[in-house]
Amino acid sequence: AQSVTQLGSHVSVSEGALVLLRCNYSSSVPPYLFWYVQYPNQGLQLLLKYTSAATLVKGINGFEAEFKKSETSFHLTKPSAHMSDAAEYFCAVSAVSGNTPLVFGKGTRLSVIA
Amino acid sequence: DARVTQTPRDKVTEMGQEVTMRCQPILGHNTVFWYRQTMKQGLELLAYFRNRAPLDDSGMPKDRFSAEMPDATLATLKIQPSEPRDSAVYFCASTSGTEAFFGQGTRLTVV
């Protein structure tokens, strides 16, 4: 069985500040891990994915995440927040490969203050 | 620009009516998922198909929901009869490998 816990349903940062969104996973098999972003009234867009290659994964829009097996974590970071980063962010896990169903966390809403 | 297309984008219907949502997966993708998003439950899997065959529909209320893939270019999700608790955003996603691509969703409101 797999599960994802996102710590903090709402995170607020100032423009230009570091963004850190936390995700911890549980998986009985080596996991595939993903971060998706959802803008209002839109679908989910993939930010980045971990598929057992490099533990530091770089994604779109300046985001990156580090897979830490010992901590069962996959936190999302961005050095400098932009107003356009305000959205809902979802961490997800799947077993075996990306063509098996995703199990999502509850999401974290990111607000960026000018 | 390949994308997953869902229709309709918005649907308002009366309780008891049949609702059909459609999804056109990305050409060449052999796996299709249906997810439902609500404020209370978040994103949850309803059903998924591989090569048009249903693999798991345990997330769907069987008495009122049905999902099919009549062909490789169309997936449908039907609710009959609809109930107010079915109000949610329904997403279709498709994949051919390591990542799933999501459609824009169908926002269903049952009054």
Side-chain angles (χ1 to χ4, degrees), chain A residues 89-113:
Chain A
Y89 291 80
F90 293 92
C91 182
V93 62
S94 71
V96 182
S97 71
N99 67 351
T100 52
L102 294 165
V103 175
F104 287 92
K106 292 293 188 183
T108 298
R109 182 163 61 91
L110 175 67
S111 297
V112 182
I113 303 167

Side-chain angles (χ1 to χ4, degrees), chain A residues 24-42:
Chain A
N24 287 89
Y25 71 91
S26 173
S27 180
S28 55
V29 297
Y32 280 56
L33 293 160
F34 306 81
W35 276 99
Y36 281 86
V37 61
Q38 184 180 32
Y39 298 101
N41 298 316
Q42 298 293 316

Side-chain angles (χ1 to χ4, degrees), chain B residues 21-72:
Chain B
M21 290 169 269
R22 293 177 173 81
C23 168
Q24 181 177 2
I26 293 173
L27 189 64
H29 283 190
N30 68 340
T31 304
V32 175
F33 306 94
W34 283 105
Y35 291 92
R36 177 170 63 185
Q37 185 178 34
T38 60
M39 291 294 292
K40 186 176 181 180
Q41 300 295 333
L43 282 153
E44 49 185 353
L45 178 73
L46 296 176
Y48 82 106
F49 297 78
R50 182 161 300 132
N51 297 323
R52 296 176 55 202
L55 291 189
D56 185 359
D57 62 0
S58 59
M60 293 198 311
K62 298 292 192 304
D63 56 338
R64 299 185 301 107
F65 283 59
S66 62
E68 296 180 344
M69 280 201 75
D71 60 62

